[in-house]
Amino acid sequence: DLGAVGAADHAGRTAAVRPAPLREQVAAFKRARIRAAIERNDGNWAAAARELGLQRGNLHNLARRLGLR
């Protein structure tokens, strides 16, 4: 799912479905990658940061910006 956005008319049909803006798609991708890395590392943020190629502090800042913390 690319985060499609559409409006339903009074009959419940979806009209003019369009993909979500790229910024929203990128944020959703980052959130999913961070959540998966943290889960794979049993909640260890430092290990998740290493897996993602980030410094621990930068991972925390990114997670905060993305609403994960």
Side-chain angles (χ1 to χ4, degrees):
D1 178 15
L2 293 178
V5 176
D9 64 13
H10 67 278
R13 295 181 298 246
T14 301
V17 174
R18 58 186 165 82
L22 181 60
R23 182 177 307 230
E24 291 174 21
Q25 292 177 25
V26 170
F29 177 78
K30 288 178 180 180
R31 277 191 292 275
R33 289 285 313 270
I34 291 169
R35 282 186 187 120
I38 293 167
E39 188 174 310
R40 276 191 300 277
N41 288 284
D42 299 319
N44 185 325
W45 284 74
R50 280 191 298 276
E51 177 183 322
L52 294 168
L54 299 171
Q55 293 180 350
R56 184 180 49 85
N58 289 339
L59 176 57
H60 282 283
N61 291 336
L62 180 58
R64 195 172 302 115
R65 267 197 318 268
L66 294 171
L68 295 174
R69 289 197 61 112

